[in-house]
């Protein structure tokens, strides 16, 4: 979600690479839907892990900034950047809630998460917008 929103706001002014802890997960359908509402297309986005990125030559030390959206990814970012001078920012965001049998509430929770990420990117990178 964050990479798509980032690219919508900033375009190609800054290189962005999205990675998480797990690479075996597909993008959640609710995430795709709420991002589509703001014209951020994620249906072709592929989930990558930090490990996969490292294996494919994307050494975390070659980045200037890593933004972590979960406590778990913050730990991993520090682990992968032990010997580099990359700046790491903790933007921990609450995971959206999936309400059993209530798609409207679920979508609203995903929208709230999307909007928090959108605002954080907009505020942090306002000089590039």
């Amino acid at each position: 979600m964050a990479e798509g929103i980032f690219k919508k706001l900033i375009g190609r002014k800054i290189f962005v690479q999205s990675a998480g802890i797990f690479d075996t997960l597909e993008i959640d359908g609710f995430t795709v839907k709420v991002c589509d509402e703001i014209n951020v297309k994620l249906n072709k986005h592929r989930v990558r892990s930090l490990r996969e990125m490292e294996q494919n030559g994307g050494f975390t030390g070659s980045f200037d900034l890593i933004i972590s959206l979960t406590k778990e990814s913050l730990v991993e970012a520090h682990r992968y950047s032990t010997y580099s001078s990359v700046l790491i920012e903790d933007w921990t965001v609450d995971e959206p809630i999936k309400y059993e049998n209530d798609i409207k509430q679920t979508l609203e929770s995903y929208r709230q998460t999307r909007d928090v990420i959108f605002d954080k990117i907009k505020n942090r990178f306002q000089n590039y917008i």
Side-chain angles (χ1 to χ4, degrees), residues 73-122:
S73 64
L74 180 63
V75 170
E76 287 295 298
H78 282 292
R79 191 170 70 79
Y80 275 90
S81 62
T82 302
Y83 302 104
S84 67
S85 61
V86 64
L87 177 64
I88 299 173
E89 292 184 11
D90 179 5
W91 289 10
T92 299
V93 175
D94 291 334
E95 290 285 324
I97 300 168
K98 288 184 180 176
Y99 292 91
E100 191 171 326
N101 300 321
D102 195 336
I103 196 167
K104 287 182 181 181
Q105 264 193 303
T106 298
L107 286 170
E108 188 53 37
S109 178
Y110 274 75
R111 287 182 188 110
Q112 289 173 1
T113 299
R114 175 203 64 201
D115 293 346
V116 166
I117 294 169
F118 189 95
D119 289 342
K120 285 179 176 283
I121 293 170
K122 198 165 92 175

Side-chain angles (χ1 to χ4, degrees), residues 24-36:
T24 57
L25 301 175
E26 291 185 19
I27 294 182
D28 184 287
F30 293 115
T31 299
V32 172
K33 178 158 179 50
V34 299
C35 284
D36 192 54

Side-chain angles (χ1 to χ4, degrees), residues 48-62:
R48 291 174 295 271
S49 68
L50 286 167
R51 182 179 353 162
E52 179 184 359
M53 194 173 67
E54 279 291 298
Q55 290 171 343
N56 293 328
F59 176 61
T60 55
S62 65

